[in-house]
Amino acid sequence: MTFTATPKAIPLLASALALAGCGSLIPASNGGPAAGQAAGSTSASSRPPARVASTPQRVSNRAGDVTCFAELNAAGASFDALPDAYSAPGCSTLGTVQLSALAGDASRFGISNIGPVTCRAATTFNGWLRFGVDRAAREILGSPLARVETMGSYACRNVAGSERRSAHARAEAIDVSAFVLENGRRIALAEDWDNGSAAEREFLRVVHRSACKRFGTVLGPEYNAAHRDHFHLEESSGQFCR
């Protein structure tokens, strides 16, 4: 289901989700995980965990997700609500959206290379781009934001060097690598965090601090070498900013 914010769309969004076939999770007999069974888990008599297949389900009509879809739509974002799916043990895309554009104060921003992301993370991302990034770009660099470049969102993988699933495995994180302004100027973390102009370095640090006020976990070039070229923005309950 595709959403583009319009004055008439917002009040009808919740009912549209239900009327258009956006039902609840299908039961275990139709491919969903059985009651009391972890998503993606298997018994000894079934296929081994390494062979767990993706089990797409219907677009969520959970109350929290429906409310979030409405909030994201009201914020001016264009997006598709995606079907729930379990891909492997610990890997899922539940209550996710595919973003195509986000809204600023006076313009819209394109997004490159982003995949499924939870609606809540998308809402936080939209607020950061509008109130943190776009306004900082206009004030510090003299041009509005036109596009944000990412290195992706959902990926069924562990945290590097560990056996713990990454937030990317739950579509709760976005990696941002560069910003493109309306005047054509491109500010990339790999090149400009340390070696950009004074204004570019200030801009990147301002938007980093802004992200830390919105996301639970933010990792950047000063965290470690693996993050030298991007911001890892994670929707989490904690508060960790580096």
Side-chain angles (χ1 to χ4, degrees):
M1 299 180 67
T2 301
F3 299 86
T4 301
T6 64
K8 294 181 180 180
I10 296 168
L12 300 176
L13 180 58
S15 59
L17 285 170
L19 294 175
C22 300
S24 60
L25 297 182
I26 54 180
S29 61
N30 290 332
Q37 180 180 1
S41 66
T42 57
S43 66
S45 61
S46 64
R47 60 186 182 276
R51 301 290 294 174
V52 172
S54 177
T55 56
Q57 302 175 24
R58 298 179 184 178
V59 172
S60 170
N61 72 348
R62 292 179 292 270
D65 292 333
V66 172
T67 299
C68 185
F69 294 151
E71 291 174 352
L72 187 58
N73 187 65
S78 295
F79 62 94
D80 291 320
L82 302 176
D84 285 349
Y86 296 90
S87 302
C91 294
S92 62
T93 51
L94 307 180
T96 58
V97 299
Q98 178 66 57
L99 294 169
S100 54
L102 297 172
D105 292 334
S107 61
R108 297 177 69 74
F109 320 130
I111 314 164
S112 65
N113 199 43
I114 194 167
V117 62
T118 63
C119 181
R120 186 54 55 195
T123 302
T124 303
F125 188 56
N126 183 85
W128 174 63
L129 288 176
R130 177 177 183 177
F131 301 112
V133 179
D134 181 48
R135 293 184 180 183
R138 286 186 277 131
E139 180 177 343
I140 299 171
L141 301 175
S143 179
L145 179 68
R147 187 176 76 255
V148 59
E149 297 180 4
T150 84
M151 300 171 71
S153 50
Y154 174 72
C156 183
R157 62 177 175 82
N158 294 343
V159 174
S162 79
E163 296 183 358
R164 180 168 56 89
R165 285 298 195 197
S166 166
H168 287 288
R170 301 181 300 276
E172 294 174 348
I174 304 168
D175 290 341
V176 172
S177 58
F179 307 92
V180 179
L181 308 186
E182 285 190 2
N183 64 7
R185 190 174 186 178
R186 181 175 180 270
I187 301 94
L189 273 78
E191 292 84 21
D192 299 317
W193 181 264
D194 290 322
N195 300 316
S197 67
E200 289 167 343
R201 295 196 306 273
E202 179 187 0
F203 166 75
L204 289 175
R205 282 156 178 78
V206 166
V207 300
H208 177 266
R209 291 194 297 271
S210 176
C212 291
K213 295 176 182 179
R214 294 178 177 272
F215 291 92
T217 298
V218 177
L219 307 177
E222 294 183 358
Y223 178 60
N224 61 17
H227 294 83
R228 66 174 187 81
D229 58 356
H230 69 277
F231 292 141
H232 169 91
L233 309 175
E234 180 179 328
E235 185 75 12
S236 65
S237 59
Q239 188 60 52
F240 186 83
C241 174
R242 285 286 297 275

